Amino acid sequence: MSITIDLAIYGSLAKLAGGKHLTKMDLELESGSRIEDLFARFNICPEDTSFIFINAVLCDVPGLNASKKEVLHDGDHVGIFSHGYMWPYQYRDGMPMSNSLKQAMREHGALHHTYTNK
Amino acid sequence: MTRKLLRINMSDLSATYEDMPEKWAKWAGRGLTSAITLDEIEPTCHPLGPNNKLIIAPGWVSGTPAAPSSGRTSFGGKSPLTGTIKEANAGGLSSQKIAKLGIGAIILEGTPKDGKWYTLHITKDGVQFDDASDLMGKGMYEVDDLCWQKYPNEPAVIGIGQVGERKLSNAGISVNDPENKPGRYAGRGGMGAVMGARGVKAIVIDDAGGPGVEIADMDLFKQGRKKLTAAIMQHDLTKKDGGLNSYGTNVLMNIINEAGGLPTRNFSAGQFEGAALISGEMVAEMVEKRQSGMTGHGCHPGCIIQCSNIYPNEEGEDFVSCVEYETSWALGANCGINDLDYVAKMTWECNDIGLDTIEAGNTVAVAMDGGLLEFGDKVGALALFDEIRKGTPMGRILGQGVEATAKAFGVSRVPTVKGQSMPAYEPRAIKGIGVTYATSTMGADHTAGYTIAPEIAGVGGKVDPLSKEGKADLSLTFQAATAFIDSTGYCLFIAFPILDIAEGWAGMAESVAGVMGMEITGDDVIPMGKEILKMERIFNERAGFTAADDRLPEFMRFEKLPPHNVVWDTSDEDLDLVYAWVNGTDE
Ligand code: SF4
């Protein structure tokens, strides 16, 4: 069984999937695939990603890497941003977030712009 | 040498240099424009009448040697768009030159008795009142050119386009950039109309031979500057080739769209299928493909972040600066337009005729909603700017901004607070920004509450970001920090490095303390910001505004926003907590 997702990669990582500054594609994956399988497919180092969305739900923020285990479904849209993107805190305050990201934020303290000094 | 107040009275064409009164001595930038506005402007005056004034002030550190990204000028007074107090600020050449002339603020008041228009030429020798007939009816690209031909030393040119001449409520004030192009706008709130009402088409500032900025404690200033510069250059978003330097503020387009918070087709949806085509990533691709234009452009000398760009046209020529996020969203996604070339053409029009791009894009979107054009009609949208340029009856309606246009076209989906339309963040999806839109002293404004490290600002650990509790405190903290940064002369984008790097935060405060000789540290930022907010809030109360004005538009309470299908559900009581402290009702 396979599923098809709609994938967008933004920033420098777009090059790994054939684009320049952004890449968009429909992608066939094995059923049960996770975000980490996408990383493996395009040789993306998780630390080089920042914000990740699945169907407009925020699943990751820079430095937390909370989304690796998210399971993808047929018809999902996934957006992956490279490191170095800005999203000021108050412009995301109150957005829908995945449960695993909420959990990670509770552990790390949520009120940061980024979670890394990289 | 202490800073002087330059009072220019257009009624008798006089200019006087006054000592900075003690009560205003500690302020600069927004703090100073708001203090003067509160003390000198009748809150109930007509914004275009003889009793309003235009206050222009550089920030605390503007004009000092190599303070990074510190060339912002504040423009204040009573807004014709909102009827509230207003501070709008811009980059460009003016801030450093005003400061280097030893001027802390310019107060422009009165109205010429002869009904003529003037160009003010300000130099170390004083103010010359020149006949502006040669500039009248002209757009800002030509005005900037003509001023550099006529006046020596590549001066700063603060000016208004045709929209400001007509005193329409969406008139911005242009400041020229290092290439002598317009595009650095104190856009919001119609302050260009306030300048027009004073009979002033342009203010030309030449700092040659000026005294420069006095620095009270050079060692402290240098220490602060060093820390701040290091933080900016170290941070991922602000360093060379970082997010802002590579894609400008338009780095946000795809993020906000992915999040479902990108206002689309007059705030009827939260995602735009064409967002990627008008994003910062696409601007970078165009610059590479057409081999002209640039990213990583600085809007004033000395900016080390350089988030601006020059967009190239189809012919491969440098065309317009700057296609930034709010502009590209307002004239693009919010009008259903997915063509960057057309967004750039409309940006050029706004720069030339003197419109705020946010209000202009929202106005076109509301007119589309009212049936004037189909959403996505880029050719039709571009042609509307010609109506505004010519001052046709249609153009005059559109030049008044969103609320007037909504009335003219019978539209009830009107995305404004206190008469000013919302920027590019949907408050139904991004609840936090909605609190700031509703309660800001300026009307719906995205920069009113900029990001600041809550742990540094003293609220860290007290707020659970996943609940609604504490949102009022957080919004107030953001708004206060912003009011402070708006007073420094630093660009608001230093907020990122000073947020994440504590040394940067301290460095900002120390550089201000070094210039002014004040004893302030990072701990004083929020209390001083609150002092500014209090002055602004009191002005608004005296102008007749109450808590009932601190509300988001009604349609957001019942129209569900896709894709999350959410409405605005923050209670009025929660909103009222933000400013309860001003009148002591928070006890
Ligand atoms: S960071 Fe951008 S907006 Fe700020 S001063 Fe520099 S170029 Fe201007």
Side-chain angles (χ1 to χ4, degrees):
Chain A
M1 269 282 287
S2 68
I3 59 168
T4 303
I5 66 157
D6 161 30
L7 173 67
I9 304 177
Y10 304 97
S12 53
L13 294 174
K15 291 197 180 77
L16 298 175
K20 280 188 179 161
H21 295 278
L22 61 94
T23 298
K24 288 190 154 207
M25 62 172 74
D26 286 338
L27 190 66
E28 207 170 286
L29 297 170
E30 271 181 38
S31 168
S33 292
R34 298 167 189 265
I35 289 284
E36 62 189 359
D37 298 316
L38 282 180
F39 291 168
R41 173 112 169 212
F42 294 107
N43 277 323
I44 293 171
C45 170
E47 281 69 43
D48 291 339
T49 66
S50 59
F51 302 101
I52 295 180
F53 295 88
I54 303 174
N55 301 328
V57 173
L58 181 62
C59 297
D60 228 327
V61 296
L64 279 192
N65 294 123
S67 65
K68 282 186 258 184
K69 299 292 176 198
E70 293 287 344
V71 177
L72 301 172
H73 302 94
D74 192 44
D76 277 355
H77 171 80
V78 178
I80 298 175
F81 289 85
S82 309
H83 203 80
Y85 270 73
M86 82 166 185
W87 193 11
Y89 175 79
Q90 82 281 7
Y91 299 163
R92 63 185 138 98
D93 180 17
M95 294 298 311
M97 282 188 275
S98 67
N99 286 332
S100 43
L101 180 59
K102 283 183 193 167
Q103 187 54 37
M105 283 195 156
R106 286 216 162 86
E107 281 162 21
H108 291 86
L111 289 175
H112 293 265
H113 176 63
T114 56
Y115 295 82
T116 170
N117 287 323
K118 190 183 157 183
Chain B
M1 223 239 31
T2 50
R3 297 177 304 157
K4 295 280 181 192
L5 263 183
L6 170 56
R7 190 180 295 277
I8 301 176
N9 189 332
M10 296 305 296
S11 300
D12 58 5
L13 303 184
S14 66
T16 48
Y17 290 82
E18 303 169 7
D19 290 335
M20 185 70 74
E22 191 54 39
K23 60 180 176 177
W24 298 335
K26 74 172 180 182
W27 296 117
R30 173 173 166 185
L32 186 53
T33 63
S34 290
I36 296 174
T37 300
L38 178 63
D39 285 350
E40 290 211 351
I41 298 176
E42 178 59 50
T44 52
C45 74
H46 193 289
L48 302 180
N51 295 321
N52 199 8
K53 305 183 185 191
L54 179 67
I55 323 291
I56 306 172
W60 279 304
V61 299
S62 296
T64 55
S69 305
S70 61
R72 309 292 297 186
T73 310
S74 289
F75 296 83
K78 179 168 174 171
S79 158
L81 189 74
T82 63
T84 65
I85 196 167
K86 176 57 69 176
E87 186 265 0
N89 68 65
L93 300 182
S94 55
S95 183
Q96 291 158 335
K97 291 186 187 292
I98 296 170
K100 285 180 185 171
L101 284 172
I103 297 170
I106 300 170
I107 302 177
L108 188 61
E109 58 191 25
T111 311
K113 292 205 176 77
D114 55 12
K116 287 192 180 147
W117 287 81
Y118 289 87
T119 300
L120 309 180
H121 186 211
I122 304 178
T123 66
K124 69 175 185 359
D125 300 320
V127 181
Q128 191 178 305
F129 297 81
D130 291 344
D131 183 348
S133 318
D134 53 333
L135 305 180
M136 296 312 294
K138 295 194 162 64
M140 281 312 303
Y141 284 93
E142 199 178 347
V143 168
D144 283 347
D145 272 352
L146 289 169
C147 286
W148 270 28
Q149 284 168 27
K150 182 168 175 182
Y151 300 99
N153 300 326
E154 303 192 341
V157 181
I158 296 169
I160 54 173
Q162 295 92 333
V163 183
E165 287 181 31
R166 296 192 186 104
K167 307 180 195 83
L168 304 183
S169 295
N170 186 25
I173 294 178
S174 164
V175 181
N176 57 340
D177 67 12
E179 289 81 31
N180 195 30
K181 299 279 184 262
R184 311 301 142 187
Y185 265 87
R188 307 237 68 193
M191 299 312 283
V194 178
M195 186 163 152
R198 306 277 72 79
V200 176
K201 172 74 175 173
I203 305 173
V204 176
I205 297 156
D206 176 358
D207 63 331
V213 177
E214 189 181 29
I215 297 178
D217 182 340
M218 186 56 98
D219 289 343
L220 185 61
F221 169 72
K222 280 187 181 165
Q223 174 186 310
R225 181 182 68 186
K226 193 169 162 199
K227 285 182 190 170
L228 180 59
T229 305
I232 292 172
M233 288 291 81
Q234 181 191 337
H235 197 277
D236 260 352
L237 301 180
T238 49
K239 70 184 183 190
K240 180 136 184 44
D241 298 325
L244 274 170
N245 189 244
S246 303
Y247 299 132
T249 55
N250 209 354
V251 70
L252 279 168
M253 181 72 73
N254 288 310
I255 296 182
I256 305 291
N257 189 54
E258 286 279 354
L262 186 74
T264 299
R265 296 183 178 86
N266 192 29
F267 288 75
S268 62
Q271 281 187 321
F272 179 47
E273 65 285 354
L277 298 173
I278 54 170
S279 65
E281 292 88 332
M282 192 54 80
V283 172
E285 292 203 1
M286 287 297 201
V287 166
E288 285 167 24
K289 189 171 133 197
R290 292 177 174 172
Q291 297 194 337
S292 66
M294 68 182 293
T295 55
H297 173 250
C299 77
H300 67 83
C303 175
I304 57 174
I305 303 172
Q306 300 182 329
C307 78
S308 172
N309 57 48
I310 300 176
Y311 184 80
N313 62 14
E314 288 145 285
E315 286 75 45
E317 299 156 343
D318 288 1
F319 179 55
V320 69
S321 181
C322 157
V323 179
E324 52 99 32
Y325 173 55
E326 305 295 336
T327 296
S328 199
W329 157 77
L331 300 164
N334 203 36
C335 297
I337 291 171
N338 63 6
D339 185 328
L340 209 40
D341 285 334
Y342 271 83
V343 167
K345 285 176 191 171
M346 288 188 274
T347 305
W348 190 94
E349 291 288 334
C350 289
N351 287 351
D352 196 44
I353 60 183
L355 287 168
D356 172 38
T357 53
I358 296 175
E359 193 74 24
N362 276 323
T363 301
V364 173
V366 161
M368 287 173 160
D369 215 354
L372 179 65
L373 299 171
E374 294 288 319
F375 281 109
D377 180 354
K378 58 191 180 187
V379 177
L382 182 61
L384 292 181
F385 291 88
D386 220 33
E387 302 265 350
I388 304 175
R389 176 184 295 278
K390 288 181 189 145
T392 63
M394 169 73 82
R396 284 174 185 267
I397 292 170
L398 298 171
Q400 288 292 1
V402 166
E403 290 208 337
T405 302
K407 282 183 181 159
F409 288 92
V411 176
S412 63
R413 188 186 294 120
V414 191
T416 58
V417 178
K418 301 187 184 80
Q420 179 169 289
S421 63
M422 291 178 189
Y425 314 86
E426 235 300 343
R428 283 167 287 184
I430 310 171
K431 307 276 186 209
I433 194 78
V435 178
T436 299
Y437 283 168
T439 60
S440 149
T441 51
M442 306 279 161
D445 190 330
H446 63 297
T447 64
Y450 221 65
T451 187
I452 222 67
E455 59 274 35
I456 294 176
V459 297
K462 294 184 198 155
V463 178
D464 177 357
L466 307 179
S467 89
K468 282 192 195 165
E469 299 285 310
K471 288 273 188 279
D473 264 358
L474 201 56
S475 177
L476 176 61
T477 304
F478 288 151
Q479 292 187 46
T482 305
F484 184 92
I485 297 178
D486 281 343
S487 302
T488 59
Y490 286 123
C491 174
L492 203 43
F493 296 140
I494 67 160
F496 304 113
I498 68 175
L499 176 164
D500 282 336
I501 303 167
E503 285 269 284
W505 177 266
M508 171 189 68
E510 285 164 11
S511 66
V512 171
V515 174
M516 300 296 288
M518 295 189 294
E519 288 187 11
I520 56 171
T521 67
D523 292 341
D524 297 303
V525 170
I526 300 302
M528 286 181 74
K530 281 176 75 174
E531 276 186 70
I532 298 169
L533 293 174
K534 185 168 183 174
M535 293 189 281
E536 295 171 351
R537 189 79 185 179
I538 288 172
F539 182 93
N540 287 351
E541 285 176 4
R542 290 178 185 165
F545 288 84
T546 68
D549 297 296
D550 293 341
R551 302 289 180 259
L552 292 195
E554 184 197 21
F555 76 91
M556 292 191 164
R557 290 196 172 274
F558 58 80
E559 278 190 24
K560 287 186 180 168
L561 182 82
H564 296 298
N565 295 320
V566 280
V567 295
W568 172 252
D569 55 2
T570 301
S571 73
D572 293 350
E573 291 71 32
D574 284 345
L575 294 176
D576 293 344
L577 287 175
V578 178
Y579 279 99
W581 58 279
V582 170
N583 293 315
T585 51
D586 57 336
E587 298 305 325

